[in-house]
Amino acid sequence: MEAVIAVVALLFVLFVVLGVYATVKVVGAAKRRVDETITHARRTVEDGTLRAKSFAQPGAAGELAQLRLKLRTSMRATQDALHAGVAEDESLKESLGLFQRLSAHGHELDAEMRRLESEPDRATLAERLPDLRERTERVVKSADALRWAARDRARRFAADDLDTLSAQIDVEAGALRHWQTAESSSSSASSSSSSTPPPSERPSATPPPWPEAPAAEAAGTAEQTWPDAPRSQRAEEPTRPAISPAAPRPTYPWQKKPRPESTT
């Protein structure tokens, strides 16, 4: 009885632990989805604000917003491309490490330009703008190079795989149409045989000699044999009458005597 109670208690504790673990996992996944949603919404709002500033504000402030928008768009596209490619190509891990180092410079540059947005001194902002433009171009160029290299690599692998697959499909299709191979071989054989000259154009071979006539044994009973005949045949056969003579008809006692023919 005590053993049964211990087993039931152990199962109860196990179910409680599993329930707590599942609850923590569900709560954590929900929290991550909420955080991702909030981050995406904040990023969308910020990108929309930067796009509006780039069109609405003239001068250095508008150009600064354009630089921030360009930097954020390039870094985000490269990040998505590398994270999507590293799951299929392990060699992109080194590229992802380089991008993380580049991303640190990009975040630093973006934070600096965000602080300068609230700078009241427009002259100082105009002086700092060429340096910010050059740094942004360098970061964007490096990010674009990584992104396009990863995409070209993926496209090259896809093309190679397609070429290999196409070659295998051609071989399989040829194996399924095996009768065409036999027809082509027979047609080539017929074409080679058609190149041989016809019998009238071939060189004439020496014909075999005719068989000699056998010696005559007796008149009317001589036989002539041919080597190609399956059996000897008679050259002449004794004649026999075409119609046998009629046998005399029997006479029966009940028959009348024949009447003599009249001479008149």
Side-chain angles (χ1 to χ4, degrees), residues 46-114:
E46 191 170 2
D47 290 347
T49 304
L50 290 175
R51 189 172 291 106
K53 287 182 179 180
S54 64
F55 288 106
Q57 295 181 356
E63 187 175 356
L64 188 64
Q66 291 180 1
L67 291 178
R68 285 195 64 196
L69 185 61
K70 183 178 181 180
L71 175 65
R72 291 163 63 90
T73 303
S74 177
M75 297 296 289
R76 190 181 305 119
T78 304
Q79 175 179 307
D80 294 342
L82 291 179
H83 279 288
V86 76
E88 300 177 358
D89 190 0
E90 295 291 335
S91 61
L92 291 179
K93 287 184 177 180
E94 185 177 356
S95 300
L96 187 59
L98 294 175
F99 174 75
Q100 290 175 356
R101 295 173 55 186
L102 181 65
S103 182
H105 291 279
H107 283 296
E108 180 180 356
L109 180 60
D110 184 65
E112 183 178 354
M113 288 190 292
R114 186 188 302 112

Side-chain angles (χ1 to χ4, degrees), residues 192-230:
S192 62
S193 63
S194 62
S195 61
T196 58
S200 59
E201 298 179 1
R202 295 177 185 172
S204 58
T206 304
W210 290 99
E212 298 179 358
E217 297 180 355
T221 59
E223 296 182 353
Q224 184 177 5
T225 58
W226 297 89
D228 294 338

